[in-house]
Amino acid sequence: MTSSDTASRFLENPYILDLFAGPGGLDVAARMLDVPSLGIEWDKNACETRYEAGLPTWHADVSAVRQHRFEELPKELNVLAGGPPCQTYSVAGNGAGRKALDKVKKLIHELVSGADEKAIDEQLEQLGGDDPRTALVLEPLRYAIKALNSENRAGRPFDVIVLEQVPAVKELWNVYKSALEQGLPRQGETKRVKYEVAKVETLHTEAYGVPQTRRRTILIARLARHGAPLLPRPTHYTFNSRKPWEGSPSGEEEVAQAGTVQPELDSGETEKPPPPKPWVPMWKVLEERELPFEIRSNYGSGGDPKKRGVRTHRQPSFTVTGKVSRNAVRHPDGTAHDPDRLTIREAGILQTFPPNYPWSGGDQSQQVGNAVPPLFGMHVLAAALSLPLPPEERLREKWAEPDVEERSTLRKKGCGASDGCGPDCPKPEDQSSPSTASTTSRPRTGASAKRSVK
């Protein structure tokens, strides 16, 4: 099913817990929808950005919070969201997650059957091998089960669950779907807490107005009493790289029907949806760039210039990854543009962050590449919560940054100290970015072994 333009609110006060929150993509989307959120993020760099942006954040390990601090979470949280680290499942990663897929699916069934947490942890320790991020894909399910046995929450389940990941995890999300529909266990009870889950689909972000081709597999679930959820209905055409639009070099013409339509699902809607809009080219959002220009990708080319892809300013960007700084910006004749690389600000704009979003801390390319595009997140959350979509222009407005006192308060709440990390924060020596640290040098046990980057 896909969502319609008419929305019917079923949660009076939605409040999102964002696991693996990154620099704030989903939280920015939530703010556009006037929905409060609390993020849990392991990476100190991403937390620096979040505090500068005024986003409530716990600088903590997702697994450690579940094990030791779950009862400290606000009991009003009723929406569970997250995008677990994708590197081990992504085709661009090391493949550990893909190799362990069958074992991960088996553990999902064991969790739903009420298996002992320590036994699950032992199996996950073995499963993680050289890359413990593989196990983190189970954390949202473990949080959902934990909520049912929480004293602070009086056993109240999350009303809505929203998950996103790379396409390689679609098979795993379908196992999640079956588990949620079967029902989650509550200690001492035989009756299960059941969810209704929308069809798991891989969506194209440019089909939702993001000026970038990116695919994400989405799971949306609601408690059965709330009724079946809907996937967000596409609003734009998808980009067809085999038939790219070759319109006016001035970039002044609109693309008419360049690309294909994101497949419609069995919507059951009586009203005919409006026709899709053209996908959004780079020139429309990178307004400070002199036209014309090309983006030449060095990602995945192995250094071979013949294998480098090219996108013109009249097309959507390549997927913005943590290696976005490798992409060269050139004039059509091959000479360097000025500047000759995408800036962090520009990469953030292609991700649909506000132009003045306060990127902070180190490894900002990785932060930008790991984030959920806020515009895409806005569509997904609006569908999950049955909320009307605000004008997407709001994301292009100036981001309201907090003052010094507000940032200090956020940091104190999130780190336990107003001027730095507190005792519950991951240790500094354990926070080397996966993009710069070798697999063999990473810790493999305990909370410090977990990676909350996406």
Side-chain angles (χ1 to χ4, degrees), residues 31-220:
R31 183 170 291 189
M32 294 299 106
L33 295 168
D34 296 320
V35 174
S37 65
L38 170 64
I40 301 177
E41 175 53 44
W42 175 92
D43 181 62
K44 185 177 185 295
N45 292 322
C47 287
E48 291 294 337
T49 294
R50 294 178 61 87
Y51 292 140
E52 289 296 316
L55 300 175
T57 306
W58 280 16
H59 179 202
D61 180 274
V62 166
S63 301
V65 170
R66 173 181 52 79
Q67 293 170 336
H68 308 299
R69 300 178 62 194
F70 193 91
E71 298 300 321
E72 299 175 31
L73 290 168
K75 62 183 179 181
E76 297 83 8
L77 290 163
N78 52 15
V79 179
L80 180 65
C86 68
Q87 286 90 341
T88 70
Y89 295 94
S90 170
V91 294
N94 62 21
R98 298 194 303 280
K99 295 173 185 175
L101 202 58
D102 288 339
K103 294 179 181 178
V104 175
K105 289 191 290 187
K106 176 176 176 290
L107 289 176
I108 290 175
H109 291 299
E110 291 186 19
L111 279 168
V112 175
S113 298
D116 178 71
E117 281 207 358
K118 290 185 178 179
I120 293 292
D121 287 336
E122 289 175 1
Q123 293 184 66
L124 288 174
E125 189 71 25
Q126 299 174 4
L127 180 66
D130 286 338
D131 200 330
R133 292 174 295 179
T134 298
L136 293 178
V137 75
L138 292 178
E139 283 299 334
L141 181 61
R142 302 188 81 176
Y143 266 72
I145 294 173
K146 190 87 170 183
L148 303 180
N149 303 294
S150 165
E151 292 183 8
N152 182 43
R153 298 176 60 87
R156 182 170 59 85
F158 288 102
D159 291 270
V160 178
I161 299 174
V162 179
L163 305 176
E164 60 89 23
Q165 251 280 15
V166 293
V169 181
K170 184 176 182 179
E171 186 178 350
L172 201 57
W173 275 178
N174 275 316
V175 179
Y176 252 80
K177 181 178 186 294
S178 298
L180 291 168
E181 290 174 338
Q182 174 188 340
L184 303 183
R186 180 181 273 138
Q187 290 178 1
E189 297 184 13
T190 56
K191 186 178 180 180
R192 291 176 170 270
V193 177
K194 296 185 177 182
Y195 287 81
E196 290 202 33
V197 187
K199 182 180 179 181
V200 175
E201 279 292 331
T202 298
L203 306 180
H204 296 249
T205 60
E206 77 272 20
Y208 299 90
V210 178
Q212 169 199 171
T213 54
R214 190 185 194 101
R215 296 188 302 151
R216 304 303 286 182
T217 298
I218 302 299
L219 181 148
I220 300 177

Side-chain angles (χ1 to χ4, degrees), residues 360-394:
S360 304
D363 208 357
Q364 293 179 14
S365 292
Q366 194 72 33
Q367 290 186 53
V368 177
N370 287 339
V372 176
L375 179 55
F376 179 65
M378 198 164 71
H379 279 269
V380 172
L381 289 178
L385 300 173
S386 291
L387 296 176
L389 276 168
E392 61 184 61
E393 288 74 17
R394 286 190 62 185

